[in-house]
Amino acid sequence: MPVSERNTVSERFQEVPSRWKRQHLLGLEGLSAEELTLLLDYAQSFRDEILTAEGTNRKIPLLGGKAIVNLFFENSTRTRTSFSLAGRRLGADVIEFSAGTSSLSKGETIIDTARNIQAMGVDAFVIRHNCPGAPQLVAGALDGCSVLNAGDGTHEHPTQALLDMLTIRQRFGRIEGLTVALVGDIAHSRVARSNIRGLKTLGANVIVCGPSTLVASQWEELGVEVSYSLDAILPRVNVFNLLRIQFERQVVRPFPSIREYAYLYAMNARRLARCRDDVLIIAPGPINRGVEITPDVADGSHSAIIDQVTNGVAVRMAALWLCLSRR
Amino acid sequence: MSAIVIENGRLVDPGQSLDEITSICLADGKVAWVGDGTVPEGAQRIDASGMIVAPGLIDMHVHLREPGGEEDETIDTGTLAAVCGGFTSIACCPNTLPPLDSQASVELVRQLALRADHCNVFPLCCISKARAGQELAELGILFEAGAVGCTDDGAGVGDSELMRRAMEYVLMFDRPILSHAESMPLDKEGVMHEGLVAMELGLRGMPAAAEEVMVARDITLAQSTGARLHIMHVSTEGAVSAIRRAKQRGVRVTAEVTPHHLTLQDEALRSFSSNFKMNPPLRSAEHVAACIEGLRDGTIDCIATDHAPHSAEKKLREITIAPFGIVGLETALPLMIESLIDKNILTWPQLIEKMSLRPAQILSLTGKGTLAAGSDADVTIIDPKCSWLLTEGELHSKSKNSPWLGKTMTGRAAAVIVGGKIKFSRL
């Protein structure tokens, strides 16, 4: 791409609409349809014009001179890599911070840790933590710094839901009116919570489906359909989002065996055959092949699991750019 | 000892069915007379116009933290906070380090309270040794040392046989068993009330059932043994109705509720602030309504704060790590004025009954809870109307973990007299 044209793209991205007023992205709770659409539009543009554009320069230096810290208190591979790449694509310096190698193991509180790192001149924190609300805690304790939630316990994982929604929108051209089923460990899934919020705001019908020990009937009070039978909902669902069983978050074992879970809830060829012809299969990963999804389905033509990962970088570029541009 | 005459105040003393503007005279640490009598020479006169003059308030559920938790509270700071909140007597919980399961530790607390010299302190002792829920503490010796009741507060007694044996054993001392009614397995790793809000926030729930199954069990055991059972910090609709039915059957059960369970709801956790994290957890609206109704109809006997100080470095943590509990001694009275008196749920005599007379009766505190002639000269003079802003500076407790910081409060203790001595006065 010629330099002049790249400048035009850059200039266009630099115009952030006044509709975006948020410094932090702590969750999809409370985001309007307009804000969600804006995020998705920016992500789509970053994907089309930077990430998958022709040529080799996949950088757009909108955040040149800014410093972003990945503050991860929980293990992560793809989210962390995705946020790192997104920050670097935008020209920011990205620093990695792992709880295991830090003073946290010496008993320092998360607020002290964040304040100390911020004092080094940091513009944004990307936080993953096993406690719901941890990003809010840090955002409330810091001045003049953006906080992006990369997953807080079983509460929210906003960028994952955004990339799920971007993937859906790419396939169907819309989200409104679609029926999206979240299948699996709803109780322990932050991905489910962020998806429910975002999808409902954008007008989708949401079904949560899984064993009754992992799917609270109270979701119905929030306008979400509850189903305990995957077989019963197969023909009327446009998108299946297959969630991993979060063994590490479960205090008690919610079902008798993995074998029984797979028998009742695994998306396999037999079940896929009963789905709509244009059904979309997505999964936040890491996927457990043979548990919530069989390998043939995961690698089949209905699956957009790999596409989701590309969208993840685009969504995180959009989130970083919009939040940091509002400081 | 010098005498005090309190004049022109509205004397509210449900113990003698008194509610009128009159005078009261205190001399030699006792109530000398109420109404008319000879004013001793040199008596100090207090004009209590526009004030409520009440028997000293009693909080039967306080965590003083000392020994062992001095970074959160000491007996000195905790009892000062009590006096400033209008309490002349408090019962303190035994979940200290070491726990109050020995004669030495009970006597230590009483000695430190005497040395602090702010208010009366009545220790509660453990039911089980080391609060481990395994074997009975030496309850006879502990009561002899001054403990007024026993509880393993902070954790439920899981072993039903141990609980039954404790109830049988305390019968001969006529002391109450105070039950922290919680099924620990049902609340495992819980952070807040199980319900819609917890589901939305992804925080592990503490179901109402965890409280209700233990309230039901303890009532059953109290009925069969005849023991005096007191249910601490009632917070659920099911617990209130179980206690109501038990009282109708004649079971010797009493109950307390905290100001926070009467005024706050689980919705508050949406802020992720650990100042809304307590055990029992803040419940949903229907449970709060049931607690208020239970207090109004007498099912719940008294109001107790469950004052639970935690230092800022402990509380300013991730909500899953932060400890349970809030300070309550200095906010209880204004909160109850605002949410019970000003909303016509309780009358002044009823509120004083629940904050003084009933706790004294439940813990068998002789000379407390009334201002009848000859009673202890413990008096709380209450300004029912004054408006003030709650700031950290207003709190005398060593810890400032209050969810009401920044709130404008209505009413507070104007002066507090303990044993005939003015401990505190804003008059």
Side-chain angles (χ1 to χ4, degrees), chain B residues 45-341:
Chain B
R45 288 172 182 270
I46 295 176
D47 180 9
S49 301
M51 304 284 159
I52 306 279
V53 179
L57 303 184
I58 300 171
D59 187 350
M60 63 178 293
H61 192 157
V62 174
H63 296 272
L64 288 176
R65 301 296 184 218
E66 193 176 5
E70 291 83 357
E71 70 276 20
D72 300 325
E73 193 81 282
T74 64
I75 287 173
D76 185 36
T77 58
T79 53
L80 178 62
V83 164
C84 295
F87 294 98
T88 57
S89 295
I90 59 175
C92 62
C93 285
N95 59 336
T96 47
L97 281 172
L100 306 188
D101 65 351
S102 69
Q103 179 183 7
S105 54
V106 169
E107 290 193 351
L108 171 75
V109 167
R110 294 182 68 205
Q111 279 302 316
L112 290 173
L114 284 175
R115 206 179 292 167
D117 195 25
H118 297 303
C119 71
N120 304 300
V121 173
F122 297 96
L124 300 166
C125 65
C126 300
I127 294 171
S128 65
K129 279 181 189 159
R131 286 177 63 243
Q134 303 285 321
E135 35 181 334
L136 284 183
E138 293 173 326
L139 294 174
I141 290 169
L142 290 161
F143 293 144
E144 189 76 23
V148 294
C150 58
T151 179
D152 274 1
D153 183 49
V157 177
D159 183 339
S160 301
E161 191 283 324
L162 181 76
M163 192 59 154
R164 193 181 77 138
R165 189 147 37 92
M167 286 191 190
E168 286 179 335
Y169 193 69
V170 297
L171 273 177
M172 63 177 164
F173 306 107
D174 195 31
R175 284 284 165 195
I177 294 243
L178 287 71
S179 172
H180 170 112
E182 178 183 12
S183 164
M184 306 310 281
L186 285 177
D187 274 356
K188 194 175 176 189
E189 291 189 27
V191 175
M192 67 174 291
H193 174 61
E194 182 181 275
L196 188 71
V197 181
M199 183 188 78
E200 281 189 63
L201 298 180
L203 289 170
R204 190 168 295 280
M206 303 165 77
E211 177 169 331
E212 290 161 358
V213 295
M214 293 305 258
V215 168
R217 180 201 71 173
D218 288 348
I219 285 173
T220 303
L221 295 176
Q223 181 161 19
S224 61
T225 57
R228 281 166 59 195
L229 168 68
H230 177 77
I231 307 290
M232 308 171 95
H233 44 49
V234 168
S235 73
T236 78
E237 193 279 330
V240 173
S241 47
I243 294 163
R244 185 178 289 124
R245 289 193 301 272
K247 285 188 165 186
Q248 285 162 359
R249 293 198 304 274
V251 181
R252 297 170 82 197
V253 58
T254 56
E256 70 187 34
V257 64
T258 72
H260 48 271
H261 288 114
L262 294 169
T263 55
L264 298 174
Q265 295 179 17
D266 61 349
E267 286 285 337
L269 268 299
R270 291 188 190 278
S271 66
F272 289 104
S273 164
S274 64
N275 277 343
F276 296 104
K277 181 183 178 185
M278 37 279 250
N279 185 12
L282 297 177
R283 305 283 184 187
S284 50
E286 67 273 22
H287 294 294
V288 175
C291 288
I292 293 172
E293 177 54 24
L295 190 67
R296 199 196 57 75
D297 75 6
T299 300
I300 298 174
D301 300 83
C302 63
I303 294 160
T305 66
D306 196 2
H307 177 82
H310 291 291
S311 62
E313 66 268 23
K314 288 183 190 163
K315 228 18 190 175
L316 278 177
R317 297 299 302 269
E318 297 87 325
I319 189 116
T320 50
I321 301 172
F324 293 102
I326 57 167
V327 291
L329 284 167
E330 295 174 85
T331 48
L333 180 59
L335 287 168
M336 295 302 89
I337 291 173
E338 180 187 300
S339 54
L340 299 177
I341 298 286

Side-chain angles (χ1 to χ4, degrees), chain B residues 14-54:
Chain B
Q16 40 182 341
S17 302
L18 199 66
D19 180 9
E20 60 186 56
I21 292 177
T22 187
S23 298
I24 180 171
C25 178
L26 314 174
D28 302 323
K30 301 285 180 190
V31 176
W33 49 260
V34 174
D36 289 314
T38 314
V39 176
E41 207 173 311
Q44 181 180 356
R45 288 172 182 270
I46 295 176
D47 180 9
S49 301
M51 304 284 159
I52 306 279
V53 179

Side-chain angles (χ1 to χ4, degrees), chain A residues 129 131 154 193 197 249 251, chain B residues 199-202 204 318 320:
Chain A
H129 197 290
C131 174
T154 48
R193 282 175 180 74
R197 290 177 175 118
R249 296 192 201 280
V251 173
Chain B
M199 183 188 78
E200 281 189 63
L201 298 180
R204 190 168 295 280
E318 297 87 325
T320 50

Side-chain angles (χ1 to χ4, degrees), chain A residues 216-235:
Chain A
S217 61
Q218 277 170 310
W219 282 112
E220 286 176 352
E221 293 176 41
L222 299 176
V224 176
E225 184 182 335
V226 172
S227 170
Y228 305 123
S229 169
L230 179 58
D231 288 320
I233 63 170
L234 287 173

